[in-house]
Amino acid sequence: MNTQAHLPSLVNAKNILNDPSSSGFTVLETLVIIIIVGILAAVGIPNWMTFVATRRLNTAQNEVYHAMRQAQTQATKDKLTWQASFREQNGIVQWAVHPATVNPSNANWNNLDANVRLDSETNFQASLSSVQEVRFDYRGNAKDLGRITLSSKSGGKAKRCVIVSTILGAMRTAKEHTRADDAKYCY
């Protein structure tokens, strides 16, 4: 075996490792990359936070809608008046579905996302314990018309509503509008 033949390639490898022009990124290149990443983060993070807040509102809106539908379904199934109840307890919006004869404080409460709040546009009748109540009679007809409006605790203009619009119990969902209608943005 001839070790002399491998010697020039080892010498070239050693010279390349010692050459400062080929040893990696310069300080200037590293700073440019850091600045570019910083600019992209400054532009992208607020958009990402808005996206996350909107997703949370959409999820909470779906939970509220399904709670109301569950109360309506149970009312027709059991031939009794059922209700969906909503409250804010310790900064957390909660919901419960139960017969109207059950005191809401004894109901099984479920939490919505901690970053969601009941908006001031919510206009269902509130009981003495500030529980918003949506009741359905034995035929599934709504005894109360109105809306549950949710917004983000972190602010922003995003709102999500679940609206009981007819006494027959028709429900729909809505989101914020850019113009108010009778001082309401979620209609």
Side-chain angles (χ1 to χ4, degrees):
M1 182 166 208
N2 185 1
T3 58
Q4 297 279 337
H6 296 293
L7 198 56
S9 62
L10 290 174
V11 171
N12 285 340
K14 183 178 178 187
N15 287 340
I16 289 173
L17 290 175
N18 290 334
D19 184 13
S21 66
S22 64
S23 63
F25 296 110
T26 65
V27 172
L28 182 62
E29 291 169 333
T30 305
L31 286 174
V32 168
I33 290 172
I34 290 172
I35 289 171
I36 290 172
V37 169
I39 290 171
L40 290 174
V43 169
I45 288 175
N47 291 335
W48 176 254
M49 298 303 288
T50 301
F51 170 77
V52 169
T54 302
R55 293 300 311 149
R56 288 178 174 159
L57 281 175
N58 289 342
T59 301
Q61 179 187 37
N62 286 336
E63 285 185 58
V64 168
Y65 179 81
H66 288 294
M68 288 182 184
R69 279 283 179 221
Q70 182 182 357
Q72 188 178 38
T73 301
Q74 282 301 128
T76 58
K77 180 181 170 189
D78 295 345
K79 301 295 183 206
L80 295 170
T81 300
W82 275 67
Q83 72 184 43
S85 299
F86 302 92
R87 71 179 182 188
E88 246 181 292
Q89 182 97 9
N90 300 324
I92 306 281
V93 177
Q94 298 178 322
W95 63 270
V97 175
H98 55 90
T101 56
V102 172
N103 185 338
S105 61
N106 297 330
N108 182 23
W109 289 94
N110 302 284
N111 294 338
L112 291 179
D113 190 286
N115 295 304
V116 173
R117 67 180 177 88
L118 280 176
D119 193 79
S120 61
E121 289 184 18
T122 297
N123 64 358
F124 279 111
Q125 179 182 0
S127 65
L128 295 175
S129 59
S130 67
V131 173
Q132 306 286 329
E133 299 172 348
V134 183
R135 293 174 291 162
F136 298 93
D137 69 14
Y138 69 97
R139 291 181 295 194
N141 296 335
K143 290 188 165 196
D144 311 293
L145 300 180
R147 97 178 115 249
I148 297 288
T149 304
L150 305 168
S151 59
S152 178
K153 285 183 180 177
S154 61
K157 295 180 181 180
K159 293 183 181 185
R160 296 294 183 265
C161 303
V162 179
I163 302 164
V164 178
S165 54
T166 69
I167 59 172
L168 294 177
M171 287 180 263
R172 63 184 175 86
T173 60
K175 63 181 186 176
E176 75 283 346
H177 289 278
T178 54
R179 292 187 319 254
D181 182 17
D182 289 332
K184 305 295 181 208
Y185 284 90
C186 200
Y187 53 89

